[in-house]
């Protein structure tokens, strides 16, 4: 039988989860995995994954991929890098996985996004572009791996 965490333990976990989320936001282009994030947060990887999903509505992997795709969208709108260069610049190690996740999250492949969105947003202020192009998760791909790269 598991006991409920005290309010102090719950608040401590939330602070740890914020640090994990902030680390993902800062280091999205680096190789990250659940075990290392959990170890640094003084949690088990299972506990981190469960609590992160409960707090933020998605797994640490999905959160990381959302950050990577958001950054990729900005780089693709600039138009000076190839899709492959953008893939590696945001920390993805597989062009196929990057393209699949990008399409799942954005609704179109990266090359289509760059071709259609860059001209459409050229005259908009960057703060507006960020809002109107923010990815909305279309569907969650099943994820079982513990490595986030």
């Amino acid at each position: 039988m598991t006991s409920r965490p005290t309010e102090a333990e719950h608040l401590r976990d939330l602070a740890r989860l914020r640090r994990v989320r902030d680390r993902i936001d800062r280091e999205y282009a680096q190789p990250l995995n659940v075990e290392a994030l959990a170890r640094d947060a003084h949690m088990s990887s299972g506990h981190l994954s469960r609590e992160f999903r409960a707090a933020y509505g998605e797994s640490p992997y999905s959160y990381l991929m959302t950050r990577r795709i958001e950054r990729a969208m900005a780089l693709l709108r600039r138009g000076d890098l190839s899709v492959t260069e953008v893939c590696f610049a945001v920390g993805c190690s597989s062009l196929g996985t990057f393209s699949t996740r990008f399409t799942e999250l954005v609704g179109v492949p990266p090359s289509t996004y760059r071709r259609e969105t860059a001209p459409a947003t050229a005259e908009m202020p960057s703060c507006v572009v960020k809002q109107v192009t923010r990815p909305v998760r279309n569907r969650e791909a099943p994820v079982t791996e513990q490595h986030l790269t």
Side-chain angles (χ1 to χ4, degrees):
M1 182 173 186
T2 356
S3 62
R4 274 183 74 105
T6 66
E7 184 66 21
E9 291 169 331
H10 179 69
L11 292 175
R12 207 170 22 253
D13 275 356
L14 285 177
R16 290 176 181 156
L17 292 172
R18 272 193 306 274
R19 285 192 295 274
V20 168
R21 187 190 62 192
D22 291 347
R23 180 175 176 195
I24 292 171
D25 287 342
R26 273 190 322 274
E27 299 176 20
Y28 68 88
Q30 303 302 312
L32 295 172
N33 66 61
V34 173
E35 290 85 7
L37 292 170
R39 188 174 42 254
D40 291 348
H42 306 290
M43 299 174 145
S44 72
S45 58
H47 184 67
L48 171 65
S49 293
R50 282 187 304 276
E51 294 300 312
F52 195 96
R53 182 180 293 280
Y56 301 114
E58 60 185 325
S59 70
Y61 174 79
S62 291
Y63 185 82
L64 171 64
M65 288 307 294
T66 301
R67 298 291 78 75
R68 286 179 172 172
I69 298 305
E70 283 177 342
R71 183 64 183 134
M73 291 168 72
L75 292 173
L76 289 168
R77 284 192 305 272
R78 281 189 0 202
D80 58 342
L81 297 175
S82 71
V83 171
T84 302
E85 290 170 323
V86 169
C87 166
F88 295 121
V90 299
C92 293
S93 57
S94 162
L95 182 58
T97 301
F98 168 74
S99 294
T100 299
R101 297 297 287 179
F102 189 99
T103 302
E104 288 172 353
L105 201 58
V106 180
V108 295
S111 55
T112 302
Y113 179 82
R114 180 175 56 190
R115 184 176 58 250
E116 294 176 356
T117 307
T121 59
E123 300 298 318
M124 291 182 193
S126 60
C127 60
V128 173
V129 172
K130 185 176 180 180
Q131 284 298 91
V132 300
T133 61
R134 187 170 187 87
V136 177
R137 189 165 300 282
N138 295 326
R139 58 190 151 97
E140 181 65 44
V143 176
T144 58
E145 70 270 9
Q146 290 292 307
H147 292 279
L148 300 179
T149 56

